[in-house]
Amino acid sequence: MSEAAAHDHHDAQSTGLMRWLTTTNHKDIGTLYLLFSLTMFFIGGSMAMVIRLELFQPGLQFVDPQFYNSMTTMHALIMIFGAVMPAWTGFANWMIPIMIGAPDMALPRLNNWSFWILPFAFLMLLSTLFMPGGAPAGGWTMYPPLVLQTGDAFPYLIFAIHFLGASSIAGAINVIATVFNMRAPGMTLMKLPLFVWTWIITAFLLIASIPVLAGAVTMLLTDKYFGTAFFSAAGGGDPVMFQHIFWFFGHPEVYILILPAFGIVSAIIPTFARKPLFGYSSMVYATGAIAFLSFIVWAHHMFTVGMPLAGELFFMYTTVLIAVPTGVKIFNWVATMWRGSMTFETPMLFALAFVVLFTIGGFSGLMLGVTPVDFQYHDTYFVVAHFHYVLVTGAVFALMAGTYFWLPKWTGHMYNETLGKWHFWLSTISVNVLFFPQHFLGLSGMPRRIPDYAVQFSDFNMVSSIGGFIYGASQILFVVVVVKCIRGGKKATDQVWEGAQGLEWTLPSPPPLHSFTEAPDPSSITGGNR
Amino acid sequence: MNFLKKYASYAFLSFSVFPLSVFADWGLNLPRGVTPFSQEIYDLHMYVLWIMCAIGVVVFGAMFYSILVHRKSRGAKAANWHHSTQVEIVWTVIPFVILIAVAVPATRSLIMMEDVGDADMTIKVTGYQWKWHYDYIGTEVDFFSTIEEKSNSARRRGSNIDPFEVEHYLRDVDNYVVVPTNKKIRFLTTAGDVIHAWWVPALGWKRDAIPGFINESWAFIKEPGVYRGQCAELCGKDHGFMPIVVRAVPEGEYIAWVEQQSQARALASEQKNSRNILARTRTDQ
Amino acid sequence: MSNTNADYYVPHSSHWPITATVAIFTMFVGGASFLNGGEVGVYILAIGLALFVYMLFGWFGTVIGESEAGTFNGQVDISFRMGMGWFIFSEVMFFAAFFGALYYARMYSVPWLGGEGSGAATNQFLWPEFATAWPLLQLPEAYAFSTFKETIGAWGVPFYNTMILLTSGATCTWAHWGLKIGSRKHLIAGLSVTVALGIIFVIMQAVEYGHAYNELGLTLNSGIYGATFFLLTGFHGFHVTMGTIMLATILGRCIKGHFTHERHFGFEACAWYWHFVDVVWIGLFIFVYWI
Ligand code: HEA
Ligand code: HEA
Ligand code: CUA
Ligand SMILES: [Cu+2]
């Protein structure tokens, strides 16, 4: 062991498993993040398949209610903390140093630590499936007092969240230090690619919100084991207090999941429209505005808890206000396409689908933000439809788009375009069959988080499940494309895409181990702001 | 051309399904409900929905036009502009104005909903894992309400009972909440263990039942009838199995029901004066 | 200027992060099984802790070694600074959660239970006996909690502790000044006093806890007052302890002759941390003890 420490001073590189366990290279770590995320996407997705299977028809066929609740809870925790967040950090690791002309991330050992926490934290979380009392089943929102009824899984849930939080904060700090300290000369802030911009702002959201979640779950822990009364009226506390603290984290969290997606789409659309991004600086300001607003809208998740009128009004106004900066983004993307010269390779297809489908999710979000109507929508499948549109056809589609976009750069090979297109069309059609009917289910009265439902909801549930199975199966195609691309294929050029702009395309595909050992020539830097 | 077809079907999916949701009778939309509040928010819902559709048509319309026309395969040459302050101001201001147009009626409805004063009677609703308790304040009437037996056995795994054969599967209870029509009824929701939420869509709202705290809401039911709902906040394993049934009846019938309930409970040491019941249950906050 | 990248120190592979992960994982698993009533939990926890301490020595030892060997250029130094700065900010947000809980309890939940604001029905139907007060001596469901008659007043130990911490902030700056003008004497004297004050603070805090638990009956189980009081002051006390250990380490390094008057990030990081702990205490003194 101490010998490995000695390595730090030399140039020796560990090999085999030790290479991956001890790596400080941003590309290796990025790869680890991305592979981990894909694994978690499949585990979380398998749980979603259990959900859709049980909901295929009324009556309980496959699982018991308690296990069903565990499935929704774990599905959400895994997808959010295991699939989407690590995927973004993976992209950040791979791309940010390259995009800003840096040799590596600013704090490489911390970087390794942020990644390796994840498998261990999820080991803890997943092991709860086999514990007495079962896995956590109180919803990913972990509202007390219900969550306090969790069995042996409870402390593992709390500690897993602490652990994941540490990883996110460390990752965020690294991104901030990298961007603010490691830019090549000439790479001014207003020349940064938008992906970098959205990530810095995401990093600030992480640093400001994750510790609050840590505090909230710590209070859960002490309420359960140490007799505190934070969330119990009998001692002067309030269960709703948890919800305020949780959503103070929770709402920024959803923008943590989507802001990097905005960045990726802002990279892809100009590339394939062969036209500069429209309104670069307003994109930056809009991202900032969204981030700021995200801290003062949290109670829109709690319109039915019985807040005073003034509170409900305040949170309604701030919530709907987010539509303005988000709209600016959508309009800018459309304006970028306008009078462009577009081609439609797979990354572009996913980006375009993102724009449409995310907007639909945004529209339902806006409807949810209208307080009095939310008294009806709240905790129904309308909400489920909303957030899967922004999360699946939003965040996940952007992840797919970004993967196809940079895969040739990462691997040095072109992926199979035909298979990519198949993946796109199958996914896009089935995902709408999966989630669109859920709007109707919610409006006509189906609550969320139920394993069984009244018979008038049968048809749409069946449709939704069928869509879900096709969507799930289509993702296997994605893995096929990625694996084929890693193993071989047409050699990718440095430039890869005709309209591509930015430093990453000046490096060979795949890039050398150390990206920019010499800072790139300032005159070669063409940032977003032209 | 192949692409064109694909995009056409894609566009179809995105656009045409949305407006379908206005066909209320098809189980696609919010119910209109039976209270002034529920009708008001139904209108508000439709209003916002149509605004969203209109924005969608404009935004996606522009986008798809561009996708169809400004494509390289059609020989489109890329322009090079990337900035226009005027345009950007316009598309910041217009959404803002639209939002004000949404916020104004929403504020009005909300103020109406929060005005619980001046109620004719009060019912305290307490959620338990997994049943509801109803307490008619000022009367002797109070009872538990649990999922009805037929549904309860059919819902078990391996019961071999077809849910479609069970009347009101998962939507029926043993004891109905009987209430008078055309009275302002104040509901006090709370819970005995974990958080639940009391929700009958026809009344137009749901309200969380928080242990240790009481939330106030109200309803004014115009039409007699049976209205079904269920718990709407995850409350543990049988969260999906705690339905709610409200039966709204004319005042006279309601008074008779209360009287019969009170007698059945055999709690009455003193006889109730039926005409006074409503007056006595009237509780000003 | 254009090839500064080559000078930026990118460490080669290191096993310290994975060691840290395994250590914390072990601590968590041990802690969790302890909380679940497992017999071996504490031992697993202890093993994890030992591994963690080993890791701290190893990882920081490596970094200190690199630093003293002059491996870090000015840019690396800035990365460290940003890292520490934003880490402290994340800690601020962690405390914000508990301050938020205190604020919410005082402004909303306790008044509502007592019938103020929108709590009229809550009080009338559920807690007719309960009246709003702060400190909350009489709980809504008193029998379920440990009752206390008195809280710890602001102007006794807490006030002295405030003075101690403020002084320690000043002595820390004195040490910094000493370092800057190149006077080891001032540096070591200033730091020693700071560490001593830190230790005194923690001891006084511990004595005060004993008093609260044994004489006043004020415990974690004293309802929302006890909960917010102990978690806020407890996490603060923990941070003071950590800060003291950090400063003691720095003191050791100073005695060994580490740091130069222009390059002493390790010192400054600990000093920042110390000031942060100081500021949090001011918040505590005002909102927990005083008003
Ligand atoms: C990526 C994640 C993500 C994103 C981006 C959003 C975006 C938004 N969300 Fe969503 N939301 C979630 C994830 C997300 N949400 C999740 C996970 C939940 C459920 C959590 C749980 O309970 O488990 C949730 C729940 C949720 C609720 C609570 C519902 C309930 O439980 O009752 C509300 C209520 O206000 C809401 C609102 C919004 C709004 C207003 C936006 C806005 O940001 C949307 C803005 C975008 C647009 C409006 C479209 C584009 C704009 C234009 C084209 C301009 C013109 C438009 C207008 C003028 C209207 N969301
Ligand atoms: C980023 C976040 C994210 C993502 C990506 C998803 C993805 C999916 N979600 Fe998830 N979901 C949430 C976040 C997310 N969800 C959250 C926050 C909740 C709320 C939880 C709560 O209430 O607490 C929720 C709840 C939720 C529900 C509601 C449960 C309930 O309220 O009772 C449903 C029901 O349909 C659902 C379905 C799906 C489906 C079908 C997918 C699909 O997109 C998944 C597709 C992926 C795969 C299927 C995996 C890949 C393929 C295989 C494993 C091969 C095998 C395939 C077959 C056998 C076909 N989700
Ligand atoms: Cu009671 Cu859900
Ligand atoms: Cu939100």
Side-chain angles (χ1 to χ4, degrees):
Chain A
M1 284 290 230
S2 58
E3 205 190 75
H7 280 176
D8 290 351
H9 305 285
H10 306 294
D11 256 28
Q13 193 74 40
S14 311
T15 49
L17 178 64
M18 267 326 255
R19 167 182 168 199
W20 296 103
L21 283 175
T22 60
T23 178
T24 47
N25 180 281
H26 73 101
K27 298 193 199 77
D28 282 357
I29 295 175
T31 305
L32 285 171
Y33 263 114
L34 290 170
L35 293 177
F36 177 79
S37 148
L38 188 62
T39 316
M40 285 293 135
F41 178 65
F42 271 73
I43 297 177
S46 307
M47 293 174 174
M49 294 297 106
V50 174
I51 295 172
R52 283 318 325 167
L53 193 64
E54 183 52 63
L55 295 179
F56 188 70
Q57 46 175 313
L60 286 177
Q61 290 84 24
F62 302 98
V63 295
D64 287 322
Q66 181 72 16
F67 186 74
Y68 177 90
N69 292 345
S70 293
M71 284 293 107
T72 58
T73 307
M74 297 287 276
H75 158 68
L77 289 172
I78 288 172
M79 283 301 199
I80 291 177
F81 292 99
V84 176
M85 288 170 71
W88 290 138
T89 320
F91 274 92
N93 259 294
W94 250 102
M95 301 317 298
I96 289 180
I98 301 188
M99 285 177 155
I100 65 174
D104 204 297
M105 294 291 278
L107 303 160
R109 280 182 288 234
L110 189 70
N111 201 14
N112 172 301
W113 190 53
S114 339
F115 170 74
W116 277 106
I117 286 176
L118 295 177
F120 287 86
F122 278 99
L123 188 66
M124 256 159 78
L125 194 60
L126 285 169
S127 70
T128 61
L129 282 165
F130 309 100
M131 284 178 189
W140 82 282
T141 49
M142 303 175 286
Y143 285 2
L146 180 63
V147 76
L148 302 176
Q149 296 178 351
T150 310
D152 280 9
F154 187 77
Y156 293 92
L157 167 70
I158 304 297
F159 291 150
I161 287 174
H162 282 143
F163 220 5
L164 292 168
S167 158
S168 299
I169 292 169
I173 288 175
N174 223 331
V175 167
I176 291 178
T178 306
V179 176
F180 284 111
N181 190 31
M182 308 281 287
R183 296 193 312 278
M187 179 57 88
T188 57
L189 282 179
M190 287 316 258
K191 274 190 176 170
L192 289 176
L194 261 173
F195 178 68
V196 180
W197 256 118
T198 52
W199 234 113
I200 317 176
I201 293 174
T202 303
F204 286 126
L205 290 182
L206 281 164
I207 295 184
S209 70
I210 297 274
V212 176
L213 173 68
V217 298
T218 304
M219 290 183 232
L220 286 179
L221 191 78
T222 58
D223 262 18
K224 185 162 165 88
Y225 294 111
F226 301 102
T228 57
F230 287 106
F231 309 131
S232 150
D238 184 350
V240 173
M241 179 161 91
F242 176 84
Q243 302 182 15
H244 282 288
I245 305 174
F246 178 86
W247 288 115
F248 182 86
F249 144 80
H251 190 83
E253 169 69 20
V254 306
Y255 291 100
I256 289 166
L257 299 171
I258 205 68
L259 289 186
F262 292 163
I264 283 191
V265 171
S266 304
I268 292 175
I269 290 182
T271 301
F272 294 95
R274 292 165 183 73
K275 187 163 156 282
L277 180 69
F278 187 88
Y280 173 89
S281 26
S282 67
M283 283 296 210
V284 174
Y285 301 137
T287 313
I290 292 174
F292 169 74
L293 285 173
S294 76
F295 282 105
I296 52 169
V297 302
W298 75 85
H300 66 215
H301 295 273
M302 311 164 50
F303 283 145
T304 63
V305 299
M307 269 182 291
L309 179 64
E312 304 212 302
L313 289 174
F314 173 80
F315 287 110
M316 169 165 76
Y317 299 149
T318 52
T319 298
V320 295
L321 207 55
I322 296 199
V324 175
T326 315
V328 167
K329 289 185 162 288
I330 307 279
F331 302 142
N332 280 344
W333 289 323
V334 175
T336 307
M337 292 175 220
W338 195 262
R339 302 265 327 273
S341 170
M342 275 187 271
T343 52
F344 302 92
E345 289 84 348
T346 312
M348 181 64 160
L349 290 176
F350 271 105
L352 294 178
F354 170 95
V355 176
V356 175
L357 300 176
F358 170 80
T359 303
I360 292 178
F363 287 160
S364 57
L366 193 105
M367 295 169 75
L368 291 166
V370 181
T371 313
V373 204
D374 187 62
F375 290 167
Q376 288 280 37
Y377 303 143
H378 178 65
D379 264 335
T380 66
Y381 263 77
F382 191 78
V383 180
V384 177
H386 157 64
F387 66 71
H388 283 96
Y389 265 85
V390 283
L391 285 169
V392 178
T393 59
V396 173
F397 266 40
L399 280 168
M400 299 290 177
T403 307
Y404 282 109
F405 189 50
W406 284 311
L407 202 52
K409 176 57 65 183
W410 296 338
T411 62
H413 307 295
M414 295 306 285
Y415 61 85
N416 183 323
E417 190 64 51
T418 317
L419 283 183
K421 290 231 166 69
W422 270 99
H423 173 224
F424 170 76
W425 286 107
L426 280 171
S427 297
T428 304
I429 293 169
S430 61
V431 85
N432 283 288
V433 178
L434 163 59
F435 292 122
F436 210 88
Q438 296 186 356
H439 290 112
F440 306 140
L441 285 171
L443 292 176
S444 57
M446 179 168 162
R448 58 191 282 209
R449 297 168 163 174
I450 54 172
D452 191 7
Y453 47 82
V455 291
Q456 73 262 35
F457 304 128
S458 309
D459 295 346
F460 281 128
N461 266 304
M462 194 175 284
V463 172
S464 175
S465 288
I466 292 171
F469 301 145
I470 301 174
Y471 179 71
S474 320
Q475 303 322 304
I476 298 174
L477 206 53
F478 176 65
V479 180
V480 172
V481 177
V482 172
V483 171
K484 275 176 66 112
C485 183
I486 294 173
R487 303 183 53 181
K490 208 177 98 210
K491 185 88 191 67
T493 60
D494 296 358
Q495 171 76 11
V496 183
W497 311 111
E498 190 190 9
Q501 299 270 350
L503 284 180
E504 74 260 41
W505 311 108
T506 64
L507 287 180
S509 307
L513 185 68
H514 293 290
S515 308
F516 286 100
T517 38
E518 285 198 11
D521 172 16
S523 60
S524 76
I525 293 172
T526 49
N529 200 11
R530 278 176 282 160
Chain B
M1 276 304 98
N2 198 12
F3 266 130
L4 247 169
K5 256 187 262 158
K6 284 177 178 170
Y7 278 116
S9 63
Y10 182 51
F12 173 79
L13 257 168
S14 322
F15 287 108
S16 60
V17 193
F18 223 133
L20 276 187
S21 59
V22 300
F23 301 133
D25 305 331
W26 216 29
L28 290 173
N29 203 354
L30 276 186
R32 255 175 220 280
V34 291
T35 64
F37 180 72
S38 73
Q39 277 150 13
E40 190 156 312
I41 64 161
Y42 174 83
D43 293 339
L44 190 56
H45 158 72
M46 293 313 296
Y47 170 70
V48 183
L49 178 61
W50 281 120
I51 292 179
M52 293 304 122
C53 291
I55 300 175
V57 168
V58 173
V59 176
F60 302 151
M63 181 173 160
F64 280 101
Y65 176 82
S66 173
I67 288 175
L68 293 179
V69 177
H70 305 139
R71 47 172 59 215
K72 197 181 178 196
S73 55
R74 278 186 139 210
K77 286 268 172 299
N80 203 30
W81 42 261
H82 50 77
H83 182 81
S84 161
T85 311
Q86 274 142 317
V87 176
E88 292 182 59
I89 290 177
V90 169
W91 69 40
T92 310
V93 171
I94 292 180
F96 193 77
V97 173
I98 296 176
L99 292 177
I100 293 176
V102 171
V104 169
T107 305
R108 219 189 31 232
S109 310
L110 196 59
I111 290 174
M112 165 185 172
M113 182 60 208
E114 295 299 325
D115 176 16
V116 289
D118 217 21
D120 296 307
M121 59 179 284
T122 298
I123 302 178
K124 179 160 158 272
V125 184
T126 311
Y128 292 94
Q129 285 173 319
W130 291 274
K131 53 186 177 282
W132 293 100
H133 180 263
Y134 298 94
D135 188 353
Y136 288 62
I137 303 293
T139 77
E140 244 89 286
V141 181
D142 79 287
F143 55 86
F144 280 99
S145 175
T146 355
I147 188 169
E148 187 269 341
E149 209 27 63
K150 278 209 283 301
S151 293
N152 203 27
S153 27
R155 67 136 172 137
R156 309 261 163 212
R157 192 138 75 97
S159 72
N160 288 327
I161 306 174
D162 182 0
F164 289 94
E165 304 291 296
V166 180
E167 207 190 349
H168 301 303
Y169 178 62
L170 301 186
R171 308 256 285 168
D172 210 358
V173 294
D174 50 5
N175 297 314
Y176 287 10
V177 189
V178 179
V179 295
T181 51
N182 295 315
K183 291 284 168 205
K184 184 164 180 179
I185 311 161
R186 185 167 72 133
F187 286 93
L188 303 178
T189 41
T190 183
D193 35 44
V194 302
I195 305 176
H196 304 259
W198 198 81
W199 181 34
V200 177
L203 304 190
W205 48 267
K206 66 175 67 67
R207 199 56 129 207
D208 287 5
I210 318 258
F213 290 86
I214 284 185
N215 277 327
E216 304 182 48
S217 344
W218 61 274
F220 186 95
I221 303 176
K222 290 184 293 191
E223 290 160 40
V226 174
Y227 308 113
R228 293 168 199 278
Q230 67 188 88
C231 179
E233 174 67 49
L234 180 60
C235 55
K237 109 181 134 56
D238 285 350
H239 158 61
F241 310 102
M242 49 187 293
I244 297 160
V245 184
V246 171
R247 193 155 74 88
V249 296
E251 188 180 339
E253 214 176 303
Y254 169 71
I255 291 168
W257 176 82
V258 171
E259 194 163 356
Q260 175 235 321
Q261 289 286 312
S262 312
Q263 279 168 1
R265 251 148 255 266
L267 289 169
S269 48
E270 49 163 280
Q271 198 57 20
K272 301 249 147 14
N273 179 339
S274 61
R275 265 183 232 115
N276 270 348
I277 284 177
L278 262 175
R280 286 205 290 124
T281 54
R282 188 186 164 97
T283 41
D284 282 339
Q285 280 162 309
Chain C
M1 256 303 266
S2 73
N3 61 354
T4 49
N5 279 0
D7 306 332
Y8 193 90
Y9 177 66
V10 178
H12 291 283
S13 43
S14 162
H15 74 275
W16 291 118
I18 185 79
T19 311
T21 305
V22 172
I24 298 173
F25 175 76
T26 314
M27 282 160 71
F28 277 153
V29 171
S33 73
F34 168 72
L35 289 173
N36 282 333
E39 309 266 285
V40 290
V42 263
Y43 301 107
I44 302 179
L45 182 67
I47 294 173
L49 194 64
L51 192 56
F52 189 72
V53 172
Y54 162 74
M55 179 282 298
L56 285 179
F57 274 97
W59 192 339
F60 285 109
T62 310
V63 176
I64 292 167
E66 288 163 355
S67 169
E68 289 303 310
T71 331
F72 302 147
N73 64 5
Q75 204 185 1
V76 179
D77 198 61
I78 296 176
S79 290
F80 286 158
R81 281 161 194 277
M82 289 182 171
M84 190 65 192
W86 289 106
F87 168 70
I88 289 178
F89 178 67
S90 79
E91 292 263 49
V92 171
M93 292 310 292
F94 180 73
F95 275 99
F98 295 92
F99 276 111
L102 176 66
Y103 172 80
Y104 184 90
R106 292 185 64 169
M107 297 302 291
Y108 303 108
S109 66
V110 172
W112 286 340
L113 291 165
E116 288 167 29
S118 52
T122 299
N123 184 259
Q124 182 191 346
F125 290 97
L126 300 177
W127 315 104
E129 315 277 82
F130 178 74
T132 306
W134 194 268
L136 194 59
L137 301 175
Q138 203 62 51
L139 295 174
E141 212 166 273
Y143 65 86
F145 295 93
S146 124
T147 44
F148 59 105
K149 290 174 285 307
E150 214 187 314
T151 59
I152 290 173
W155 304 108
V157 173
F159 178 71
Y160 303 132
N161 266 346
T162 309
M163 290 300 127
I164 289 174
L165 273 194
L166 286 178
T167 315
S168 77
T171 56
C172 188
T173 307
W174 165 28
H176 194 188
W177 169 81
L179 180 53
K180 270 196 188 143
I181 62 160
S183 158
R184 287 275 143 181
K185 210 176 78 220
H186 280 294
L187 167 62
I188 290 171
L191 258 185
S192 311
V193 177
T194 312
V195 171
L197 288 172
I199 295 172
I200 295 175
F201 177 93
V202 174
I203 292 174
M204 289 184 43
Q205 198 68 348
V207 171
E208 191 201 47
Y209 273 15
H211 176 60
Y213 258 80
N214 300 327
E215 275 121 62
L216 303 180
L218 175 61
T219 72
L220 272 172
N221 188 27
S222 297
I224 190 70
Y225 186 91
T228 49
F229 175 84
F230 280 108
L231 282 215
L232 274 165
T233 56
F235 273 116
H236 178 262
F238 174 72
H239 280 78
V240 176
T241 313
M242 296 316 291
T244 309
I245 294 174
M246 283 155 63
L247 285 174
T249 316
I250 295 295
L251 177 60
R253 290 183 62 191
C254 289
I255 293 170
K256 268 188 163 174
H258 288 190
F259 303 123
T260 65
H261 65 281
E262 75 245 332
R263 189 64 69 70
H264 47 258
F265 163 71
F267 176 93
E268 282 187 68
C270 297
W272 292 349
Y273 193 80
W274 194 249
H275 290 310
F276 145 72
V277 167
D278 216 355
V279 171
V280 171
W281 176 260
I282 307 283
L284 282 180
F285 181 71
I286 296 175
F287 295 110
V288 176
Y289 292 101
W290 187 5
I291 55 177

